[in-house]
Amino acid sequence: MARDEQLPEELYTGPIDLAGLTVLEGEETDLETPEISYDEQRYPARPRRLRPRDNLRASSLRRIRTDPRTANGTNPSYVEWLVRQSMLKDADILARPLAGQPSMWRHAYARPDSRRAIATSDAWFTAYPISLITRPGQSFLAALGDEELWSVFERIGISAIHTGPVKRAGGIAGWLDTPSVDGHFDRISTQIDPAFGTEDEFRTLCDVADAHGGSVIDDIVPGHTGKGADFRLAEMGFKDYPGIYHMIEIPPEDWMLLPDVPDGVDSVNLDAATEHELAERGYIIGALQRVIFYTPGVKETNWSATAPVIGPDGVTRRWVYLHYFKQGQPSINWLDPTFAGMRLVIGDALHSLGDLGTSALRLDANGFLGVEKSAEGLPAWSEGHPLSHAANHIIAGMVRKVGGFTFQELNLTIEDIRDTGAVGADLSYDFIGRPAYHHALATGQTEFLRLALNQSLQLGVQPVQLVHGLQNHDELTYELVHWATRHGDEAFPFRGREISGSQLAEEVRADLTESLTGTTDYNRVFTQNGIACTTASLIAATRGIARLDDIMDEDVSAIRDAHLLLSAYNAWQPGVFALSGWDLTGMLTIPGDEVADLIRAGDTRWIERGAHDLLDADPSATRSAAGMPRGRSLYGTLPEQLDDPASFASRLAAILGLRREHGIATASQVDIPEVAHAGMLVLVHSLDDGDARAEAPMQVTVLNFSPEPTEGTVRSEQLVPGSIVMDAASGDEIGRVDDLQSFSVSLGAYGAMFLLLQSPETVEE
């Protein structure tokens, strides 16, 4: 393969130095070190051969004549080819120009600052590369950098694009690339995937965004890579590469413990019995706290065994490696002596920020960066581990040091979000309110939503720290980790009785599953994690529509109203507001038979990722350039929506206009009171921009999650008697706060009100 297919010209440094591959044949060097003592009670079955003294030996290279086309460790040309395109090699090159430069000391970096991040951009468009329909011959990145698109976004009030993962992903088998197994979240390179465009188009996107007062957000994946060059070199035992991953070399005498790897695949997931046996023998730390994406016969544990792989030293090895997610996503080791994993991730971040020109990064799967063996009989400690906090501090600190910010997608307990956010990412994805507001819409009752939001406030997570999103590329997640794990035995009031957190989680999941999939043929359960659906198809299910073909014009109007209610809920509270192209165009799920090959292994999320056209770029297209089938849009393209004042996009622009005008994005939430009607939700905010000492006006968001009109009383101890209550949208006075610190409201079906309070002193003046 040509040089310029591997690295950009400025990153090319000539032939790779394969130092370490020229040890004289048969020569060994025994590095004598003192015996290291281990706690035998903690590691009762640790074989002597796994102790450091027995592993600190130099290996010899056995010179083997090979066919130049050979794709294994015996071919120096193949090894060099892998090194050239590895992320670790790129990271070393990218870091050097920044070392010792004054630019590295110009920004505060020690502490997260959500309000500073929000000031950069507070309303985000979440893109998904393979689902956007572009003009014929236009790349995804060129489409995102289109002046017309940014003009439309400006009119709506969108100030940032989160591109989604656009760098090369998937794997390498021999000399060939293999496709992504998880929507390009299995990254294998710092280079832009040609399927989505070029680095120049990415830089142009950043320039166009800046010209429209916006910014661009990229992704890094500190938890895992794909099976690209770095993993293939790690399998060969080459240099620092095994240190990137949680991978353990199993000596040949114990290969009988490992499953056979059939032809055509490179690894096999371990069953629970094998996982236990390897843990008993001291090789691995064993079962973790949970198996994400658990699927019988596909993924029963978080560990897989590789096939035999020959290295440049002539040694054939087999490994067992950790993967929290899919088998093609080997987990990165953040505490290996080589610190190779850390170097790889930081290099990827610096490339996005310093070379491409992004202003922020999403941290994917960043809650799983530390694992440790627990006491006998207990699962390994893998969630809420202090190493995750430390690693996130390093990543986020480095990003802040070069002038950017980060947000994390951390679906753990509220305490974990709080603790990780205290030193790490500036913002966190809202896994607290998202399943709860879906539950409120599904049941027409806000009790669980109010409970979740109050828990968040009580435990120290303010909504200003969160990214409040509508649909993204993932499922409607209903794992409810906070309730099901750490607080599983704690009692909570719900529906007139006290139940445990684990019972609460089960009940909420059952409500969502029944409401969204029980009588429909278009939403599907996704493993044990949640439900595959779009926002529009979720709303359709809550309205009792059994088939998408049954949706009539009058149904579209009601779906749009409910969709705007959810938009107002997410936008009329502090923090970032985020939505996707599926939201903007009102996309429905696509029939399962149109993506049968993608969902065959159980990943039903593909039904929610239908191709959509924001600008009417190609009306005749039946698929995106990446091959995703076009879905049904209820709202139409953005230009035609903005010509209609009653459309979703036009009314969304009004919602975001109130948000921007009154600065609620950086406000402080001070109360979530009880309500007079089961479908109501009341959020009380101080528009203080985070300064609790300021004399700030009060704002109240009132929402009706019921499909029926409702009247009720808003009461909060934060309200000052005598204050005038103004409807910010109309400018009308709707009442005054009485001596009981309350006032009355009337809302239509799926109604939403943005209310401002004028204090008595202001009224008298």
Side-chain angles (χ1 to χ4, degrees):
M1 185 170 291
R3 182 199 70 199
D4 58 3
E5 292 177 319
Q6 306 312 311
L7 288 174
E9 183 68 33
E10 63 271 19
L11 298 185
Y12 182 72
T13 59
I16 300 300
D17 175 17
L18 298 180
L21 298 186
T22 56
V23 179
L24 294 178
E25 185 172 1
E27 180 179 88
E28 287 191 357
T29 303
D30 194 353
L31 303 179
E32 295 296 335
T33 59
E35 181 67 40
I36 296 178
S37 171
Y38 283 86
D39 181 347
E40 293 299 328
Q41 184 176 6
R42 190 168 178 81
Y43 300 95
R46 188 181 183 90
R48 180 178 178 82
R49 62 178 168 273
L50 292 184
R51 295 177 182 172
R53 181 176 184 274
D54 295 283
N55 289 309
L56 291 174
R57 299 178 182 273
S59 299
S60 61
L61 172 65
R62 295 194 308 179
R63 302 182 186 281
I64 304 172
R65 295 185 179 276
T66 60
D67 187 314
R69 296 168 295 181
T70 300
N72 63 36
T74 66
N75 184 356
S77 296
Y78 180 65
V79 176
E80 182 176 342
W81 178 76
L82 290 175
V83 172
R84 287 199 183 285
Q85 57 188 316
S86 72
M87 297 178 72
L88 185 58
K89 178 65 177 178
D90 282 4
D92 290 342
I93 296 170
L94 288 160
R96 289 172 198 150
L98 293 173
Q101 297 302 308
S103 58
M104 295 299 295
W105 301 100
R106 291 173 181 162
H107 302 280
Y109 64 89
R111 295 181 179 87
D113 189 341
S114 59
R115 287 182 171 86
R116 183 189 72 85
I118 290 169
T120 302
S121 54
D122 72 302
W124 300 354
F125 171 75
T126 301
Y128 194 62
I130 64 177
S131 296
L132 183 66
I133 293 175
T134 64
R135 295 188 174 95
Q138 185 184 42
S139 73
F140 167 75
L141 290 173
L144 289 190
D146 192 306
E147 286 280 355
E148 181 185 358
L149 180 64
W150 275 97
S151 296
V152 166
F153 279 175
E154 260 194 299
R155 291 179 62 186
I156 295 172
I158 294 169
S159 55
I161 283 181
H162 174 208
T163 62
V166 294
K167 295 182 180 180
R168 288 180 54 220
I172 290 175
W175 297 94
L176 302 176
D177 288 345
T178 58
S180 170
V181 299
D182 189 25
H184 268 67
F185 285 99
D186 46 347
R187 180 165 297 172
I188 62 171
S189 175
T190 58
Q191 299 174 39
I192 299 296
D193 191 321
F196 304 133
T198 66
E199 289 199 355
D200 284 342
E201 287 174 330
F202 199 117
R203 295 185 186 98
T204 298
L205 162 61
C206 293
D207 291 341
V208 172
D210 185 65
H212 287 267
S215 58
V216 178
I217 302 166
D218 195 10
D219 292 76
I220 61 169
V221 189
H224 54 253
T225 70
K227 288 185 173 180
D230 296 274
F231 186 74
R232 297 307 176 203
L233 290 164
E235 286 182 311
M236 295 176 187
F238 182 70
K239 289 191 174 181
D240 290 351
Y241 287 86
I244 296 173
Y245 302 101
H246 286 286
M247 57 194 306
I248 299 91
E249 183 180 351
I250 307 299
E253 58 265 31
D254 279 342
W255 285 4
M256 78 287 190
L257 302 173
L258 305 178
D260 293 331
V261 179
D263 292 339
V265 296
D266 61 4
S267 60
V268 171
N269 188 242
L270 303 185
D271 59 28
T274 304
E275 175 188 61
H276 178 74
E277 180 64 21
L278 289 171
E280 284 293 300
R281 292 177 181 243
Y283 287 119
I284 62 176
I285 58 177
L288 274 54
Q289 288 164 277
R290 59 181 169 140
V291 180
I292 300 173
F293 299 166
Y294 175 85
T295 306
V298 177
K299 189 191 178 194
E300 299 182 355
T301 71
N302 295 300
W303 300 90
S304 286
T306 71
V309 178
I310 189 168
D313 54 4
V315 176
T316 298
R317 298 172 174 86
R318 291 195 71 184
W319 308 81
V320 171
Y321 68 94
L322 175 69
H323 53 95
Y324 283 101
F325 299 96
K326 296 182 179 181
Q327 196 171 153
Q329 296 168 293
S331 293
I332 292 175
N333 183 353
W334 273 83
L335 199 57
D336 181 81
T338 65
F339 291 95
M342 180 189 298
R343 288 153 49 203
L344 180 151
V345 172
I346 296 299
D348 191 20
L350 293 175
H351 176 251
S352 292
L353 295 160
D355 193 12
L356 297 181
T358 61
S359 61
L361 297 172
R362 170 185 177 269
L363 309 182
D364 179 70
N366 68 312
F368 307 100
L369 306 186
V371 289
E372 182 175 339
K373 186 175 177 66
S374 296
E376 289 302 308
L378 295 177
W381 186 8
S382 58
E383 298 182 14
H385 194 283
L387 179 56
S388 285
H389 300 163
N392 277 281
H393 196 179
I394 291 171
I395 300 168
M398 176 60 74
V399 172
R400 286 190 287 269
K401 204 171 185 185
V402 296
F405 70 87
T406 57
F407 80 99
Q408 61 184 359
E409 191 180 50
L410 190 67
N411 185 17
L412 296 177
T413 68
I414 294 172
E415 291 93 336
D416 288 324
I417 294 172
R418 176 198 65 203
D419 295 344
T420 305
V423 295
D426 299 275
L427 297 160
S428 298
Y429 196 79
D430 185 4
F431 284 108
I432 302 164
R434 189 169 185 248
Y437 78 70
H438 288 141
H439 184 262
L441 190 71
T443 62
Q445 300 180 348
T446 63
E447 183 179 10
F448 176 60
L449 176 56
R450 285 181 280 113
L451 176 61
L453 297 181
N454 274 305
Q455 272 276 293
S456 183
L457 287 183
Q458 292 165 14
L459 293 173
V461 176
Q462 272 274 342
V464 74
Q465 300 170 253
L466 303 176
V467 177
H468 310 288
L470 290 170
Q471 184 188 348
N472 60 20
H473 68 281
D474 270 330
E475 76 284 357
L476 186 174
T477 304
Y478 64 13
E479 291 172 292
L480 302 173
V481 177
H482 178 81
W483 315 94
T485 58
R486 184 168 183 164
H487 298 274
D489 296 327
E490 187 176 334
F492 295 95
F494 189 62
R495 292 175 174 165
R497 84 270 197 215
E498 296 276 325
I499 62 173
S500 69
S502 58
Q503 291 174 307
L504 176 63
E506 289 180 12
E507 200 162 309
V508 170
R509 280 194 291 264
D511 289 342
L512 287 169
T513 303
E514 176 59 29
S515 176
L516 303 184
T517 68
T519 59
T520 71
D521 67 352
Y522 48 83
N523 299 327
R524 297 196 184 191
V525 171
F526 170 63
T527 65
Q528 297 176 319
N529 287 43
I531 296 170
C533 59
T534 67
T535 305
S537 76
L538 176 150
I539 296 168
T542 67
R543 295 190 57 79
I545 298 172
R547 299 184 313 119
L548 295 181
D549 289 343
D550 295 338
I551 295 177
M552 301 290 107
D553 288 345
E554 58 270 23
D555 297 310
V556 174
S557 177
I559 290 171
R560 182 190 60 213
D561 289 346
H563 206 155
L564 287 163
L565 165 73
L566 300 185
S567 300
Y569 163 78
N570 285 288
W572 288 351
Q573 62 176 308
V576 168
F577 168 71
L579 81 171
S580 64
W582 299 297
D583 289 306
L584 285 171
T585 54
M587 298 300 296
L588 300 174
T589 52
I590 52 182
D593 57 5
E594 293 189 24
V595 286
D597 55 329
L598 295 172
I599 66 176
R600 186 175 295 116
D603 194 345
T604 56
R605 293 174 298 178
W606 292 103
I607 67 170
E608 70 190 46
R609 297 169 177 169
H612 50 277
D613 189 343
L614 297 176
L615 297 179
D616 204 21
D618 190 357
S620 64
T622 58
R623 293 179 177 269
S624 69
M628 282 301 295
R630 187 174 194 143
R632 178 184 173 188
S633 165
L634 298 183
Y635 307 152
T637 64
L638 295 180
E640 63 181 310
Q641 285 193 61
L642 291 176
D643 287 338
D644 176 7
S647 71
F648 176 82
S650 293
R651 292 167 65 186
L652 175 66
I655 289 172
L656 296 182
L658 289 174
R659 167 186 168 87
R660 185 171 55 254
E661 179 182 354
H662 298 286
I664 194 171
T666 54
S668 299
Q669 192 167 90
V670 295
D671 196 17
I672 303 161
E674 295 298 311
V675 292
H677 185 278
M680 282 179 58
L681 177 71
V682 176
L683 308 174
V684 183
H685 305 112
S686 173
L687 301 177
D688 58 9
D689 199 27
D691 184 357
R693 301 165 300 178
E695 291 286 334
M698 302 296 292
Q699 184 274 338
V700 180
T701 297
V702 186
L703 308 165
N704 176 20
F705 281 81
S706 165
E708 303 296 331
T710 187
E711 296 183 358
T713 300
V714 173
R715 183 182 184 281
S716 171
E717 293 182 1
Q718 298 294 326
L719 305 182
V720 178
S723 298
I724 290 181
V725 183
M726 304 290 296
D727 183 335
S730 66
D732 296 336
E733 178 182 330
I734 68 165
R736 286 180 180 250
V737 178
D738 61 27
D739 290 341
L740 295 178
Q741 297 174 290
S742 64
F743 61 89
S744 298
V745 293
S746 298
L747 297 107
Y750 303 128
M753 300 182 76
F754 190 105
L755 305 177
L756 297 171
L757 274 65
Q758 295 181 2
S759 67
E761 294 82 4
T762 305
V763 172
E764 291 172 4
E765 293 174 2

